[in-house]
Amino acid sequence: MGLCSVLLLGLLSLLQSWQSSCHPQCLDYKPPFGPRQPLVFCKEYSKFGCCDLDKDEAISVKFHNIMASFDHSGFVTCGKYIRSILCQECSPYAAHLFDAEDANTAMRLLPGLCKDYCLDYWQQCRYTLSLLLEDQRNAQQVYNMTSALEEDSKLFCDFLELKDRQYCYPNVLSNEELNANLGSVREDPKGCLELCLEEVANGLRNPVAMIHADDGSHRFFVAEQLGYVWVYLPNGSRIDRPFLNLTEAVLTSPWAGDERGFLCIALHPRFSTVKKAYVYYSVSEKKEEKIRISEFTLSVHDDNQLDHSSERTILEVVEPASNHNGGQLLFGHDGYLYIFIGDGGRAGDPFGKFGNSQNKSTLLGKVLRIDVDNNDDGAPYSIPSDNPFVREKHSRPEIYAYGVRNMWRCSIDRGDPMTRSGRGRMFCGDVGQNKYEEVDIIEKGGNYGWRAKEGFSCYDRKLCQNSSLDDILPIFAYPHKLGKSVTGGYIYRGCQMPNLNGLYIFGDFMSGRLMSLKENALTGEWQYNEICMGRGQTCRFPKLIDSYYKYIISFAEDEAGELYFLATGSPSATARAGVIYKVVDPSRRAPPGKCSVKPSPVKIKGKLIHFHPKEEFVIDKKLTTTPVPTTTTRTTTTTRRPLPPLKPPIFKPTPPRRKSKSTTTPTTTRAQTKIPTRNPTSTPVPTTVASSTTPERPLPTLTSPVRTTAQASDRAGPSTTRGGGMLTTPSPRTSVPISTPLSGTSPRLPYWNPKPTSTLHKTTRTSTNSIQISTREDKVRLGEKLTNTRESNRIHKKHRRKGRKRGKKLRAGSVRLIGPDGLSGRGRVEIYIRGEWGSVCDDLFSRTAGTVVCKQLGYNSALAVMKRAILGAADDNVKILLDNVECTGTEDSLLECKRSKVGVHNCSHKEDVGVICGN
């Protein structure tokens, strides 16, 4: 009994160290949902929770199996407790109650109870604990775990209690503040909508457009400004052959902010039968710059490649300047092709008396509408008969709307999934001059005011006061303190995130802001809300991240209507810094199975390049070293614990039903570090350390792993979680080791917020690439010695290394760790090749590669891989010998890993990799 008390006191101390930060989340590590059909057994969670009918029925079966051992009075007395405890799997806070908010840690087998409720449960039905646990382990284990607890109310409730008074059951249901907007998009104190992201693709060179074929394949096509278009499959793999390669014809440059290049692609709305694609790009002919709209047909030999010899020029427009090129193509629901062209460039549309945009005899500064069907044997396009200026003298018949400056990214509303309301509306972001950016809904024949107006404000006062202007005002305009180059977005009409339906989500290329507009159906007005990345628990779901690259180039939707945006860390057509992000609402998901799609098969010629996310999980992040996303390999460690010998239960008059097989215990260890860095000349990139993750639900233990948790010119010119205590308790016959967790999480710093959001953890910038570590946990992660002996950790202990004998000749591939503090087992990685020591670049260097290094030095594993030369950079006279090192963990040295040739690299000593080793 004494040992049990000691262990439970240890568990109690762990529980008291938790930092409560509850967020709706289910045991499958996903957001809650509204069941498609009402639940029958756990009825209180029919509106919103974590169970569908199948899970509800399974809980009902378990309840009735348990209650079969009771007579009528026992059923009446204990049934309410058993039912309530079982139904907590359906609670929207199930993950918190079961301590499963982190997929990398073991979870409870029963939900955490409030103390008063636990005492009532003990007094009324203390001997039912083994019944609740009987299907998790064999009978003897249940007895060993529960026999001592059932006789002592303090031990019983120390075992079951969740120390969070607000979040334990049943208090979590009565917390008004917690449940006020349950299932709604979460807002921070400033009203900013907290969303999350999922990385879909990376390593792209200024991805300017992403489209789909609407043919059931759920492929998407991504265009790079340089002139490539790539095909991505639904699983994220990319086909190695480009869909289109126009790099020889496209006019662009590596200058940051150059607006010329390949700007857009659109597929025919009946692409599966018509098999035509249309592209919009810049060209130069005889020193004259032009916009070219061309048509291509699909290759007869490959469904994932256009016939490059089939190009047919549809339209060309001379550009008087290198900016304001427009760059949007899209097909309307009427089947016609819409083309959005800028005003010709320079400042203030200085062409002619009223500028190009107000001059209907030119195509510059216009929205064009043409018919490209049935054009094989005649003119490349025809004019729709209902175009607004067909019969107006001196007006170009292609014009559909005019008075636009430089519309960058437009979209067409699919309409509400139920009512079809809003279907066909065309939204555009129009880049402003020097004060305002605007969002417009395009109407036939509409005048959108430029250059008379910029947003709602007069720009050319004389022209603005002209009574014949009759311009259409934007639905929203914002000043340059919010951003200087709008990027138009989409009305969300997807299935997976019902809360976002009807929300127009767009961004700003310069400030990196994500923004939203919501229409008031009664007044027709649009309400503005900024979008920010969810903090704390909000984005703590597998595959979700809470940061992105600043330069928001474009938005997109896939075939199912889910929303994405394309951004880059370096706005150059040649920099591989582009990433595609999927927008995710973590507060509510659609019911499981409702949004499932089955892509039609596509014949693939060539090879598939599999996708490796730069940042995999918020709960499992890695360090990044450059604006170009890097990849690492994640590993899983699973161990099995022996079960104690079987003894018959002594609890019930008749033996209960139990499973014939016991389950094993997957355990994972994880250390992760997130070190925000800021560089005034580049996009802030969160730096992290890779870790292990296990998706299976593990059996309980008492261990708790360590936890941690940009500018060019606009288009006007160049440019705390809880963790630890599980629901199992050692019996007097067994002992279970307890590890003490480190409390707190590392701060999250959205790039637009220059200060840490957490008062518990702060980082102080001492120089451009230097961070002063100011928290206990951050010191531990970087391997610093702690003066307080109570804060000691195994990673600080010096280990005896299996070193070479003095005088012995070094072998090629030998490694050493060089650190400024002289600590063993941590420092910059240096490798001996061709008679000299050199450093290793951190590109693609993962913890698996770090483990290869550490094992050479006599350690068991790498506790952390530190990038960006955090553990020290080599002098210039030290060569960089290895780059792009990717190991599987079975190699004897880094030379046996996949890597670049010795001495071949594209990095500097600011990217020397460091390793912290441990046993």
Side-chain angles (χ1 to χ4, degrees):
M1 203 62 175
L3 178 59
C4 190
S5 299
V6 171
L7 291 175
L8 287 173
L9 286 175
L11 174 59
L12 180 60
S13 67
L14 292 179
L15 292 171
Q16 290 173 337
S17 70
W18 287 348
Q19 299 292 327
S20 298
S21 181
C22 194
H23 186 73
Q25 184 171 327
C26 302
L27 295 184
D28 60 358
Y29 315 118
K30 295 180 180 179
F33 55 90
R36 301 178 74 174
Q37 295 175 298
L39 306 183
V40 176
F41 185 70
C42 301
K43 297 179 181 179
E44 61 270 39
Y45 301 112
S46 282
K47 184 176 181 181
F48 187 64
C50 295
C51 288
D52 54 16
L53 273 181
D54 291 340
K55 183 62 178 177
D56 181 64
E57 183 179 357
I59 292 174
S60 175
V61 170
K62 182 175 181 178
F63 171 80
H64 288 98
N65 286 343
I66 292 174
M67 300 314 294
S69 301
F70 289 80
D71 58 19
H72 177 73
S73 62
F75 193 104
V76 172
T77 303
C78 297
K80 59 183 179 181
Y81 293 103
I82 301 297
R83 181 188 176 279
S84 295
I85 291 173
L86 291 178
C87 281
Q88 292 319 297
E89 287 194 40
C90 300
S91 167
Y93 293 105
H96 190 86
L97 293 169
F98 285 82
D99 192 34
E101 289 166 314
D102 189 334
N104 292 334
T105 63
M107 71 173 79
R108 292 174 177 262
L109 296 178
L110 294 177
L113 307 180
C114 301
K115 187 172 184 179
D116 293 343
Y117 184 86
C118 182
L119 290 174
D120 290 341
Y121 173 38
W122 180 82
Q123 290 172 356
Q124 300 291 329
C125 304
R126 71 190 72 170
Y127 297 112
T128 62
L129 184 59
S130 59
L131 289 172
L132 288 167
L133 296 173
E134 67 177 354
D135 63 345
Q136 301 294 337
R137 291 190 174 184
N138 61 47
Q140 179 58 41
Q141 282 188 300
V142 172
Y143 170 70
N144 287 342
M145 290 163 47
T146 61
S147 59
L149 303 182
E150 293 170 343
E151 301 302 327
D152 188 318
S153 62
K154 184 178 185 305
L155 294 180
F156 187 88
C157 288
D158 283 345
F159 175 70
L160 288 177
E161 185 183 355
L162 184 64
K163 297 301 180 181
D164 262 333
R165 293 184 60 85
Q166 290 184 322
Y167 299 110
C168 57
Y169 178 81
N171 291 0
V172 69
L173 300 178
S174 57
N175 188 325
E176 293 183 3
E177 181 180 354
L178 192 66
N179 294 282
N181 296 302
L182 187 62
S184 301
V185 180
R186 185 175 290 246
E187 296 184 10
D188 71 3
K190 296 182 179 180
C192 184
L193 303 180
E194 292 189 324
L195 299 180
C196 307
L197 303 173
E198 180 180 348
E199 187 178 333
V200 173
N202 56 33
L204 292 159
R205 292 160 293 194
N206 268 17
V208 293
M210 168 181 159
I211 60 172
H212 61 85
D214 198 24
D215 60 357
S217 68
H218 290 268
R219 295 172 292 172
F220 56 91
F221 304 78
V222 177
E224 295 178 315
Q225 187 178 356
L226 202 60
Y228 289 105
V229 181
W230 303 98
V231 179
Y232 286 80
L233 301 183
N235 63 6
S237 299
R238 175 170 68 84
I239 299 176
D240 65 341
R241 301 178 181 182
F243 183 67
L244 180 64
N245 179 1
L246 286 181
T247 54
E248 295 297 325
V250 169
L251 171 64
T252 188
S253 75
W255 305 337
D258 192 338
E259 298 179 24
R260 301 167 300 176
F262 189 100
L263 301 180
C264 200
I265 181 172
L267 302 182
H268 194 281
R270 301 189 305 279
F271 182 68
S272 57
T273 56
V274 177
K275 301 183 184 300
K276 290 184 178 181
Y278 299 84
V279 298
Y280 187 128
Y281 64 98
S282 304
V283 295
S284 178
E285 290 183 343
K286 298 179 181 180
K287 298 182 180 182
E288 187 176 57
E289 294 185 10
K290 298 179 181 180
I291 291 168
R292 176 178 292 168
I293 315 297
S294 288
E295 177 187 86
F296 287 85
T297 58
L298 192 65
S299 169
V300 296
H301 305 292
D302 191 345
D303 288 341
N304 294 295
Q305 197 169 58
L306 294 177
D307 181 354
H308 288 63
S309 65
S310 68
E311 181 174 10
R312 181 187 189 190
T313 299
I314 299 294
L315 180 68
E316 284 188 347
V317 180
V318 174
E319 273 282 354
S322 62
N323 57 346
H324 297 198
N325 301 299
Q328 181 71 55
L329 293 176
L330 56 82
F331 280 91
H333 288 168
D334 53 15
Y336 297 129
L337 179 62
Y338 289 79
I339 306 169
F340 300 78
I341 300 179
D343 65 6
R346 302 180 189 172
D349 192 8
F351 305 100
K353 184 176 181 180
F354 303 113
N356 283 328
S357 294
Q358 294 296 321
N359 180 4
K360 286 181 282 187
S361 65
T362 178
L363 298 182
L364 294 169
K366 307 297 188 300
V367 179
L368 311 182
R369 181 193 193 218
I370 60 176
D371 185 353
V372 292
D373 282 344
N374 305 312
N375 64 349
D376 293 337
D377 299 322
Y381 67 88
S382 59
I383 306 297
S385 60
D386 63 339
N387 269 12
F389 306 110
V390 169
R391 296 170 183 82
E392 185 175 297
K393 191 177 181 181
H394 305 304
S395 294
R396 293 291 298 264
E398 296 94 339
I399 297 174
Y400 184 78
Y402 65 106
V404 305
R405 185 176 181 272
N406 189 36
M407 287 190 162
W408 183 252
R409 294 306 171 243
C410 304
S411 64
I412 294 180
D413 187 0
R414 295 186 179 207
D416 184 272
M418 300 297 294
T419 67
R420 312 302 287 171
S421 174
R423 178 175 170 80
R425 292 181 300 181
M426 191 179 301
F427 291 81
C428 286
D430 198 0
V431 180
Q433 176 67 41
N434 51 23
K435 288 185 178 181
Y436 299 99
E437 307 296 307
E438 68 181 71
V439 177
D440 299 297
I441 297 180
I442 304 301
E443 299 178 10
K444 183 168 69 173
N447 180 0
Y448 288 85
W450 178 251
R451 74 181 184 195
K453 288 184 178 180
E454 180 187 8
F456 295 100
S457 174
C458 285
Y459 177 80
D460 183 328
R461 295 194 176 276
K462 291 184 179 180
L463 189 58
C464 183
Q465 295 170 0
N466 190 323
S467 59
S468 64
L469 184 63
D470 192 26
D471 59 317
I472 296 175
L473 297 177
I475 61 170
F476 178 71
Y478 61 93
H480 278 189
K481 67 179 181 180
L482 293 182
K484 297 181 180 180
S485 182
V486 64
T487 300
Y490 280 78
I491 293 270
Y492 178 80
R493 300 298 189 186
C495 172
Q496 296 177 9
M497 291 160 285
N499 284 336
L500 301 187
N501 183 36
L503 201 67
Y504 179 73
I505 296 179
F506 63 109
D508 189 276
F509 176 80
M510 290 292 290
S511 69
R513 289 181 185 270
L514 286 170
M515 298 171 276
S516 72
L517 299 174
K518 182 74 172 181
E519 184 179 21
N520 185 318
L522 298 178
T523 65
E525 296 179 351
W526 293 80
Q527 178 184 353
Y528 169 81
N529 277 100
E530 188 169 343
I531 293 174
C532 53
M533 295 296 96
R535 300 171 183 171
Q537 288 289 89
T538 304
C539 292
R540 191 168 286 273
F541 298 95
K543 297 186 179 180
L544 298 193
I545 58 177
D546 59 358
S547 59
Y548 58 90
Y549 287 112
K550 172 183 176 179
Y551 299 105
I552 302 174
I553 301 175
S554 187
F555 285 79
E557 63 178 5
D558 62 19
E559 194 167 342
E562 301 305 320
L563 185 63
Y564 304 75
F565 70 90
L566 292 64
T568 184
S570 177
S572 164
T574 58
R576 291 187 177 274
V579 182
I580 300 177
Y581 301 98
K582 181 179 179 180
V583 178
V584 177
D585 171 24
S587 64
R588 184 186 185 94
R589 59 172 165 153
K594 180 180 179 181
C595 304
S596 60
V597 295
K598 187 177 181 180
S600 57
V602 178
K603 293 182 179 179
I604 305 298
K605 291 188 177 182
K607 298 180 180 179
L608 290 180
I609 301 174
H610 298 292
F611 169 61
H612 298 284
K614 175 187 68 68
E615 294 185 70
E616 293 182 349
F617 303 155
V618 162
I619 58 177
D620 184 16
K621 285 190 172 181
K622 304 181 296 294
L623 285 169
T624 54
T625 61
T626 68
V628 183
T630 61
T631 61
T632 63
T633 303
R634 297 169 53 247
T635 60
T636 302
T637 303
T638 302
T639 61
R640 295 175 183 264
R641 291 187 297 161
L643 300 178
L646 292 176
K647 289 185 180 180
I650 61 172
F651 172 66
K652 298 181 293 294
T654 57
R657 301 177 187 175
R658 60 179 61 87
K659 294 182 179 179
S660 60
K661 291 184 180 180
S662 60
T663 54
T664 58
T665 308
T667 58
T668 59
T669 60
R670 177 175 59 86
Q672 67 176 26
T673 306
K674 180 175 180 181
I675 307 173
T677 61
R678 300 196 194 96
N679 188 327
T681 62
S682 65
T683 304
V685 181
T687 59
T688 54
V689 171
S691 62
S692 304
T693 182
T694 296
E696 297 91 353
R697 171 175 173 172
L699 291 177
T701 66
L702 286 177
T703 60
S704 177
V706 177
R707 298 193 183 201
T708 63
T709 52
Q711 293 214 3
S713 64
D714 72 351
R715 292 179 173 78
S719 18
T720 352
T721 69
R722 289 173 42 253
M726 302 299 115
L727 190 59
T728 63
T729 301
S731 71
R733 302 173 181 81
T734 60
S735 63
V736 181
I738 300 178
S739 64
T740 304
L742 299 176
S743 62
T745 60
S746 58
R748 294 215 168 87
L749 300 180
Y751 64 84
W752 61 83
N753 182 358
K755 297 180 180 179
T757 57
S758 169
T759 59
L760 297 175
H761 296 75
K762 297 180 180 179
T763 57
T764 304
R765 185 176 64 181
T766 57
S767 66
T768 302
N769 290 314
S770 175
I771 292 181
Q772 176 181 336
I773 307 302
S774 59
T775 69
R776 165 176 168 273
E777 183 173 331
D778 289 336
K779 290 179 180 178
V780 170
R781 290 198 299 269
L782 291 184
E784 295 184 11
K785 291 183 177 180
L786 301 177
T787 57
N788 188 339
T789 58
R790 295 183 64 185
E791 293 183 339
S792 66
N793 189 290
R794 290 186 64 186
I795 67 173
H796 309 303
K797 295 181 181 179
K798 293 187 178 182
H799 300 274
R800 181 173 298 173
R801 298 189 291 176
K802 299 177 182 178
R804 62 186 181 278
K805 294 181 180 180
R806 292 185 180 181
K808 186 176 180 180
K809 184 177 180 181
L810 290 175
R811 297 179 59 184
S814 297
V815 290
R816 67 186 183 185
L817 298 180
I818 306 297
D821 49 14
L823 291 179
S824 64
R826 66 186 298 264
R828 176 179 67 255
V829 175
E830 291 196 356
I831 186 167
Y832 186 79
I833 306 175
R834 297 174 182 171
E836 64 177 327
W837 288 98
S839 65
V840 180
C841 186
D842 57 17
D843 285 337
L844 303 184
F845 199 96
S846 69
R847 207 166 70 178
T848 306
T851 298
V852 173
V853 171
C854 292
K855 286 184 176 180
Q856 278 187 264
L857 299 175
Y859 297 91
N860 288 339
S861 63
L863 297 176
V865 168
M866 314 303 292
K867 301 191 177 183
R868 285 187 178 273
I870 286 177
L871 295 183
D875 296 331
D876 290 339
N877 59 349
V878 176
K879 293 182 180 179
I880 301 174
L881 297 182
L882 293 185
D883 190 11
N884 295 327
V885 177
E886 295 182 276
C887 303
T888 63
T890 60
E891 299 88 352
D892 291 331
S893 76
L894 297 181
L895 289 179
E896 297 180 7
C897 301
K898 181 182 177 181
R899 55 181 172 77
S900 300
K901 293 182 179 180
V902 174
V904 177
H905 62 86
N906 61 351
C907 51
S908 69
H909 283 304
K910 292 182 180 180
E911 298 167 85
D912 284 342
V913 71
V915 172
I916 299 176
C917 299
N919 288 323

